[in-house]
Amino acid sequence: QVKELVLDNCRSDDGKIVGLSSDFENLEFLSMININLLSVSNLPKLNKLRKLELSDNRISGGLEVLAERTPNLTHLNLSGNKIKDINTLEPLKKLPNLHSLDLFNCEVTMLINYRESVFTLLPQLTYLDGFDADDQEAPDSDPEADGDGLEDEYENGEEDDLDEEVIDDEEDEDDDLEGEEEEDGVDDEEEDEEEDGEDDEEDEADDDLPRGEKRKRNLEDEGEEDPEEEEDDEDD
């Protein structure tokens, strides 16, 4: 039931693929990057294989095996191999569904009119080295599958949450300020009432005193001396 198999950096045995057999009949994606592969001659029959990654190996030819073993191939990556001539690619004409071919870092890419020659040789191709015949770049994979759409949604959601938090904080601050002002107003009123109460108590206490004592007390409060005391001082 395996549909994808990645064997990158797993060294092959004398350029052969050990363990890979036709038992993987449901395989749709196979990656064998940098395994020191010399050819694809030992590739098993994989009728459902769509994508084949063979980058950074030592393949120089023998591509006719692909048409026989992987007839439904749509994407083939041969970047970083030993392919030098356009004619080496001719067996790929027998892959009618091949839409994308990568040959980065292969010597064949240094040839004059390389791109025009490959598109002429393989008319079924849409993209060569990531670009079509009009030099338009191949579109990226589905952004939702890569999680880009979720990331944007998360960022937008996060910004909305931040805005709501800022608004909530401002409302809380306004409520706190209003509460403090109300408390200050209550405290001021209570203090005024307490002071008025103390003054009333003093006035009531003064009313209970005899008239002479009351006058004497008032003079003392004002810092004045009693006239009778001044006369006594003069007589002395």
Side-chain angles (χ1 to χ4, degrees), residues 157-173:
E158 186 176 19
E159 290 177 358
D160 294 339
D161 292 342
L162 289 175
D163 293 339
E164 291 178 0
E165 290 178 1
V166 170
I167 293 173
D168 291 341
D169 291 341
E170 291 177 353
E171 291 178 352
D172 292 341
E173 290 178 0

Short mmCIF file of all heavy atoms in Angstrom, two decimals, residues 157-173:
data_model
loop_
_atom_site.label_atom_id
_atom_site.label_comp_id
_atom_site.label_asym_id
_atom_site.label_seq_id
_atom_site.Cartn_x
_atom_site.Cartn_y
_atom_site.Cartn_z
N GLY A 157 -5.85 36.41 11.96
CA GLY A 157 -6.59 36.18 13.20
C GLY A 157 -5.86 36.74 14.39
O GLY A 157 -6.45 37.30 15.30
N GLU A 158 -4.53 36.59 14.36
CA GLU A 158 -3.74 37.09 15.48
C GLU A 158 -3.82 38.60 15.56
O GLU A 158 -3.93 39.19 16.62
CB GLU A 158 -2.28 36.63 15.30
CG GLU A 158 -1.40 36.98 16.48
CD GLU A 158 0.01 36.43 16.31
OE1 GLU A 158 0.38 36.13 15.16
OE2 GLU A 158 0.71 36.32 17.32
N GLU A 159 -3.78 39.27 14.36
CA GLU A 159 -3.89 40.72 14.35
C GLU A 159 -5.24 41.16 14.89
O GLU A 159 -5.34 42.13 15.64
CB GLU A 159 -3.70 41.23 12.92
CG GLU A 159 -2.26 41.07 12.41
CD GLU A 159 -2.13 41.51 10.97
OE1 GLU A 159 -3.16 41.89 10.39
OE2 GLU A 159 -1.01 41.48 10.45
N ASP A 160 -6.30 40.45 14.49
CA ASP A 160 -7.62 40.80 14.99
C ASP A 160 -7.68 40.64 16.50
O ASP A 160 -8.25 41.48 17.21
CB ASP A 160 -8.68 39.91 14.34
CG ASP A 160 -8.80 40.18 12.85
OD1 ASP A 160 -8.38 41.28 12.44
OD2 ASP A 160 -9.31 39.30 12.12
N ASP A 161 -7.07 39.55 17.01
CA ASP A 161 -7.06 39.32 18.45
C ASP A 161 -6.32 40.43 19.16
O ASP A 161 -6.72 40.91 20.22
CB ASP A 161 -6.41 37.98 18.77
CG ASP A 161 -7.28 36.82 18.28
OD1 ASP A 161 -8.47 37.06 18.04
OD2 ASP A 161 -6.74 35.71 18.14
N LEU A 162 -5.18 40.88 18.56
CA LEU A 162 -4.40 41.94 19.17
C LEU A 162 -5.22 43.23 19.22
O LEU A 162 -5.20 43.96 20.22
CB LEU A 162 -3.11 42.17 18.38
CG LEU A 162 -2.06 41.06 18.49
CD1 LEU A 162 -0.89 41.35 17.56
CD2 LEU A 162 -1.55 40.94 19.93
N ASP A 163 -5.93 43.53 18.11
CA ASP A 163 -6.76 44.74 18.10
C ASP A 163 -7.82 44.68 19.19
O ASP A 163 -8.09 45.67 19.88
CB ASP A 163 -7.44 44.90 16.72
CG ASP A 163 -6.41 45.20 15.64
OD1 ASP A 163 -5.32 45.66 16.00
OD2 ASP A 163 -6.73 44.99 14.45
N GLU A 164 -8.45 43.51 19.33
CA GLU A 164 -9.48 43.36 20.36
C GLU A 164 -8.88 43.52 21.75
O GLU A 164 -9.48 44.15 22.63
CB GLU A 164 -10.14 41.99 20.23
CG GLU A 164 -11.00 41.86 18.96
CD GLU A 164 -11.60 40.48 18.84
OE1 GLU A 164 -11.33 39.65 19.73
OE2 GLU A 164 -12.32 40.22 17.87
N GLU A 165 -7.66 42.97 21.94
CA GLU A 165 -7.03 43.10 23.25
C GLU A 165 -6.72 44.56 23.57
O GLU A 165 -6.89 45.03 24.68
CB GLU A 165 -5.74 42.27 23.28
CG GLU A 165 -6.01 40.76 23.28
CD GLU A 165 -4.72 39.98 23.25
OE1 GLU A 165 -3.66 40.63 23.27
OE2 GLU A 165 -4.78 38.74 23.23
N VAL A 166 -6.24 45.31 22.54
CA VAL A 166 -5.92 46.73 22.75
C VAL A 166 -7.18 47.49 23.14
O VAL A 166 -7.18 48.31 24.06
CB VAL A 166 -5.29 47.32 21.48
CG1 VAL A 166 -5.18 48.83 21.60
CG2 VAL A 166 -3.93 46.71 21.22
N ILE A 167 -8.27 47.21 22.41
CA ILE A 167 -9.54 47.90 22.72
C ILE A 167 -10.00 47.55 24.14
O ILE A 167 -10.41 48.42 24.90
CB ILE A 167 -10.61 47.49 21.69
CG1 ILE A 167 -10.24 48.04 20.31
CG2 ILE A 167 -11.97 48.00 22.12
CD1 ILE A 167 -11.13 47.54 19.20
N ASP A 168 -9.91 46.27 24.50
CA ASP A 168 -10.32 45.85 25.83
C ASP A 168 -9.47 46.53 26.90
O ASP A 168 -9.98 46.98 27.93
CB ASP A 168 -10.19 44.33 25.97
CG ASP A 168 -11.23 43.62 25.10
OD1 ASP A 168 -12.22 44.28 24.73
OD2 ASP A 168 -11.04 42.43 24.82
N ASP A 169 -8.13 46.62 26.64
CA ASP A 169 -7.25 47.26 27.61
C ASP A 169 -7.62 48.73 27.78
O ASP A 169 -7.63 49.26 28.89
CB ASP A 169 -5.78 47.14 27.15
CG ASP A 169 -5.29 45.70 27.23
OD1 ASP A 169 -5.94 44.91 27.95
OD2 ASP A 169 -4.28 45.38 26.59
N GLU A 170 -7.92 49.41 26.64
CA GLU A 170 -8.28 50.83 26.74
C GLU A 170 -9.57 51.00 27.52
O GLU A 170 -9.71 51.92 28.34
CB GLU A 170 -8.43 51.40 25.33
CG GLU A 170 -7.10 51.50 24.57
CD GLU A 170 -7.30 51.99 23.16
OE1 GLU A 170 -8.48 52.11 22.76
OE2 GLU A 170 -6.31 52.28 22.48
N GLU A 171 -10.54 50.12 27.28
CA GLU A 171 -11.80 50.21 28.02
C GLU A 171 -11.57 49.97 29.50
O GLU A 171 -12.14 50.65 30.34
CB GLU A 171 -12.78 49.19 27.46
CG GLU A 171 -13.27 49.53 26.05
CD GLU A 171 -14.21 48.47 25.52
OE1 GLU A 171 -14.35 47.43 26.21
OE2 GLU A 171 -14.81 48.69 24.46
N ASP A 172 -10.71 49.00 29.85
CA ASP A 172 -10.41 48.72 31.25
C ASP A 172 -9.76 49.92 31.90
O ASP A 172 -10.07 50.28 33.04
CB ASP A 172 -9.49 47.50 31.36
CG ASP A 172 -10.21 46.23 30.94
OD1 ASP A 172 -11.46 46.25 30.93
OD2 ASP A 172 -9.53 45.24 30.64
N GLU A 173 -8.81 50.59 31.16
CA GLU A 173 -8.15 51.76 31.72
C GLU A 173 -9.15 52.88 31.98
O GLU A 173 -9.11 53.57 32.99
CB GLU A 173 -7.06 52.23 30.76
CG GLU A 173 -5.86 51.26 30.70
CD GLU A 173 -4.83 51.73 29.69
OE1 GLU A 173 -5.07 52.79 29.07
OE2 GLU A 173 -3.79 51.07 29.55
#
